[in-house]
Amino acid sequence: DCTLQASGGTYIFNYNPSTKMLEVLYEVPKYEVIFKDYDGTVLKTELVEAGKSATAPADPARDGYNFIGWDADFSNITNDIIITAKYGLNSYTVTFLDYDGSVISTQTVTEGESAVAPDAPEREADAQYSYYFAYWDGDFTDVKGDVTVKATYINVLNKYVVTFLDDNG
């Protein structure tokens, strides 16, 4: 029996004296592929034949972040490799609405950050009331999800002065 190591694999030669046959076995090289999380935690280890693809583990999760992929290609393995999960910060939409539900402003905010309120909206007076912006009806600080807030107004009864004049003014 004889084993020969060559680039591209291992060849094993077995000679059978009774049959006078030489058996040649070829072993394809295998490489170690390690999938790690952002903190170095090993998610999966796999031995992959040269030129084959590794199989990624289930997408990992991380509080405050979304998984966006892996930092290296693992479709044609040609050497030992460590592949690390990549994340992006979660972002959410904060929507500011007027009293009638019309959109005043939308902002994209990274998780844990605060939105910046737009300038106070103005509302036209009607025959009975004048309206003054008072506050936004929700919290848009330390955002942890999509948020919708609505403008709230104080209404003040309109007062009119009526002057009665006689016929000479």
Side-chain angles (χ1 to χ4, degrees), residues 88-131:
L89 287 170
N90 286 339
S91 59
Y92 301 102
T93 301
V94 178
T95 305
F96 292 88
L97 301 178
D98 207 351
Y99 73 97
D100 61 358
S102 61
V103 176
I104 296 171
S105 168
T106 59
Q107 296 174 28
T108 301
V109 179
T110 301
E111 183 163 337
E113 298 293 320
S114 299
V116 177
D119 292 338
E122 294 181 14
R123 182 174 173 184
E124 280 192 42
D126 58 29
Q128 189 174 7
Y129 295 103
S130 292
Y131 298 94

Side-chain angles (χ1 to χ4, degrees), residues 79-93:
N79 57 323
D80 292 340
I81 187 170
I82 296 174
I83 299 169
T84 305
K86 295 189 311 184
Y87 294 89
L89 287 170
N90 286 339
S91 59
Y92 301 102
T93 301

Side-chain angles (χ1 to χ4, degrees), residues 126-166:
D126 58 29
Q128 189 174 7
Y129 295 103
S130 292
Y131 298 94
Y132 302 94
F133 175 79
Y135 58 89
W136 298 103
D137 74 351
D139 183 18
F140 46 91
T141 61
D142 191 27
V143 173
K144 301 267 191 258
D146 290 338
V147 176
T148 300
V149 292
K150 196 170 190 178
T152 303
Y153 295 85
I154 296 171
N155 55 349
V156 177
L157 187 61
N158 291 330
K159 293 183 181 181
Y160 299 96
V161 175
V162 178
T163 305
F164 293 95
L165 301 175
D166 61 13

